[in-house]
Structure formats: structure tokens, C-alpha cells
Amino acid sequence: MDRTLYVDKYYMTEVDTFENSIYCHHALMGESFISEHSHIKGQFLYTEGGIVFLRTEEKSYFLPARHYIWIPGGIRHSIYPSSPEVVMRNLYFPKFDTDTDFYDNVNIYPVNDFLIEFIMFTNRWTGNIFPDEDAKFSIAKAFKLILPEISQTELPLALPYPKHEKLKAIVNYLEQRIEENISFKNLANEFEISERTLARLFQRELNMSFIQYYTILRMLTALKLLLDEKASVNEVAMRVGYSSLPTFSNTFNKVIGVRPSEYVKNKNLLL
């Protein structure tokens, strides 16, 4: 069977066929992307083997190994794996009376050892799990219910899309020169704009400061280098503009939740 047609079939038609079922799907991607779509059920997505880029109408999300993303029902999104070897583990849930506002937002969270064991337990499930399958449905439902309890810290692994033409050019400039440590003052001078105006532009258009945006951009680039190019931590630090390895490591830890050395050690844990 053609893999693309198979993937299209499950996420376009089968997920929402039965309103009250929990749908489970584990798959090796083996393709370049999953086109824009939405589903009524909320989606838990965990990946192994590389980064998954997920785009909504407002933001671009970077989902690295040992993290999961929650996607509320109705959110249009497309999925771009960093390589054909990426494995996606998906659980799609209907709404429950016990749902809180935790399930209303797209967010990325680190995965602890307990949740990894739970995720791997779901590997035995494929397709629909119905409410009358008491034991299996209760376990799957508990998986959803436990997420807010063990997901206390969402990580800012997303960058909003600029709509302002000048800010698009500025962001592109930063991306193309990621190895340089570009100061806010030099950036303002390069684009012949006052620092005050530039600061307001970032805050108004992207809802974050220049330093927040620039730091996340550098750390997400570092993640990609660590996973896709298998570069050393020292090399990655330099390639994203950090001359100090401790500073890079501390910043990576603050944004990603683990130190880069620990991330490299753990990234292939489940492969």
C-alpha cells in the first residue's frame, strides 16, 4: 500500500469516524509532510528520531524528541518531519466532561520517564478504542486525564509569523546570520530604524521582545543541528552565535528544559 495514501486515509477520514472513540496511530513517517488539515478530536503527538515542524495559521512549532505537543480539535495544522525516519505516536481524544482549559491551547511539553512508559504501553493499540471496551478505554482515557498533572511547564518552542513586511526582512536577516551574535543596536542600524520603534515592532507584531525571539530562534536552530546534523555541542554553540559554552548550555536548558549534553545523550533513547 502507498504510504502517503495510508497516512492521508487515517488522519483525514478515520480519526473522526466515531464521535466517542479514542483513536490511536503509530507510524514511521517515510514522507516529506502531512498537508494542512484539522480534526474534531484533540491530538496528542509524540515523536522519536528527529524534529517535527508543525505549522498552524499563526505559528511554527518545533517538536523535538522527548517532547509532545497537544493540538486542540478544530486547529488547522500541517506537519513536516525533519527526516523519513521520524516516528509519530498519536492519540486522538474526544471531549470529556472532565476536560479543563489545559486542552484548549496548542502547547509543547517535555516528557518524563513515567509518560514515556505510558506512551510505549499504547504501542499495542491501533485504530479506534470504544467506550464499551472498558479496560482499554479506561486506560486510554486516563492517559488524557493525567496530562495536565505531569505537564506543568510548557516550553516556548514556537515562533509566530511576522506579517509586517519590514519585520519579515528583519527576521530573515537574523535567520541567515544565525552564527553571528547580532546586537539589537546593530540590527536597528542595519535597517535604519530607531531602537524604540524596533522594540515596539517586535512586541506589537510578535507579542514578544527582540531578545525573546532571538533566543528562541537560536535555540531551535541548535536543536535542529544537534538532531539532524549530529554536530557536537561545542560546534552547535558556535554555529548559533555563542562564544561561551556555559552560556549556551544554560540558555538551552532554560528554553528546552535539559542541557544540550543531556539532550544528545537521551534523544535516541526509544529508537
Side-chain angles (χ1 to χ4, degrees):
M1 180 183 291
D2 179 86
R3 185 180 300 277
T4 302
L5 291 178
Y6 174 63
V7 173
D8 281 349
K9 181 181 178 183
Y10 102 79
Y11 75 79
M12 287 297 195
T13 62
E14 294 187 7
V15 168
D16 291 326
T17 299
F18 300 98
E19 180 181 358
N20 296 320
S21 73
I22 296 170
Y23 193 89
C24 184
H25 185 82
H26 302 261
L28 180 70
M29 291 297 292
E31 60 192 67
S32 58
F33 73 98
I34 292 178
S35 58
E36 187 179 65
H37 65 286
S38 66
H39 22 75
I40 297 170
K41 292 174 180 172
Q43 180 179 1
F44 170 96
L45 168 59
Y46 174 83
T47 64
E48 303 162 18
I51 294 175
V52 164
F53 305 97
L54 185 140
R55 295 177 182 172
T56 67
E57 293 177 350
E58 296 182 349
K59 292 184 178 181
S60 178
Y61 295 84
F62 293 63
L63 179 64
R66 293 186 67 88
H67 293 74
Y68 81 86
I69 189 168
W70 174 261
I71 309 165
I75 298 291
R76 294 196 63 79
H77 59 280
S78 53
I79 299 173
Y80 303 78
S82 62
S83 76
E85 286 72 42
V86 169
V87 176
M88 294 205 321
R89 303 191 182 279
N90 299 278
L91 287 168
Y92 299 84
F93 296 93
K95 285 186 177 294
F96 297 130
D97 292 340
T98 50
D99 283 0
T100 65
D101 56 8
F102 171 89
Y103 303 101
D104 294 337
N105 302 300
V106 180
N107 273 318
I108 292 175
Y109 301 91
V111 170
N112 61 20
D113 291 341
F114 171 77
L115 191 56
I116 286 176
E117 291 295 328
F118 216 151
I119 291 167
M120 298 314 293
F121 183 84
T122 71
N123 195 44
R124 67 193 69 188
W125 300 334
T126 300
N128 289 291
I129 302 171
F130 296 102
D132 60 2
E133 300 175 80
D134 293 337
K136 190 187 293 188
F137 191 85
S138 295
I139 294 171
K141 183 176 181 179
F143 185 100
K144 181 183 182 183
L145 295 179
I146 205 170
L147 292 178
E149 299 299 321
I150 61 176
S151 306
Q152 300 295 320
T153 307
E154 67 268 21
L155 297 176
L157 301 180
L159 288 173
Y161 298 128
K163 295 186 172 119
H164 192 281
E165 289 303 320
K166 189 150 200 170
L167 192 55
K168 285 182 183 178
I170 290 170
V171 165
N172 184 63
Y173 180 86
L174 293 173
E175 291 174 349
Q176 296 302 315
R177 294 162 179 79
I178 198 71
E179 75 283 355
E180 302 174 21
N181 188 3
I182 300 172
S183 71
F184 187 65
K185 181 177 180 179
N186 288 343
L187 185 64
N189 290 337
E190 177 68 28
F191 284 87
E192 299 179 342
I193 186 173
S194 73
E195 292 181 45
R196 184 177 182 181
T197 300
L198 184 57
R200 286 179 174 175
L201 193 58
F202 267 92
Q203 199 64 54
R204 186 182 72 239
E205 294 290 322
L206 303 178
N207 200 32
M208 62 177 66
S209 69
F210 162 75
I211 193 64
Q212 287 174 316
Y213 185 93
Y214 193 32
T215 300
I216 294 171
L217 175 64
R218 294 161 91 183
M219 293 306 104
L220 295 181
T221 303
L223 266 178
K224 189 174 188 304
L225 293 172
L226 286 170
L227 276 174
D228 292 351
E229 299 191 19
K230 298 179 175 60
S232 70
V233 175
N234 282 335
E235 182 184 352
V236 169
M238 290 188 295
R239 288 176 65 179
V240 295
Y242 283 82
S243 57
S244 167
L245 183 58
T247 301
F248 168 71
S249 180
N250 289 338
T251 305
F252 189 96
N253 183 44
K254 184 177 180 180
V255 174
I256 307 302
V258 296
R259 296 197 175 276
S261 56
E262 296 169 1
Y263 187 78
V264 169
K265 183 171 63 176
N266 293 330
K267 65 185 174 69
N268 291 321
L269 184 64
L270 298 178
L271 297 183

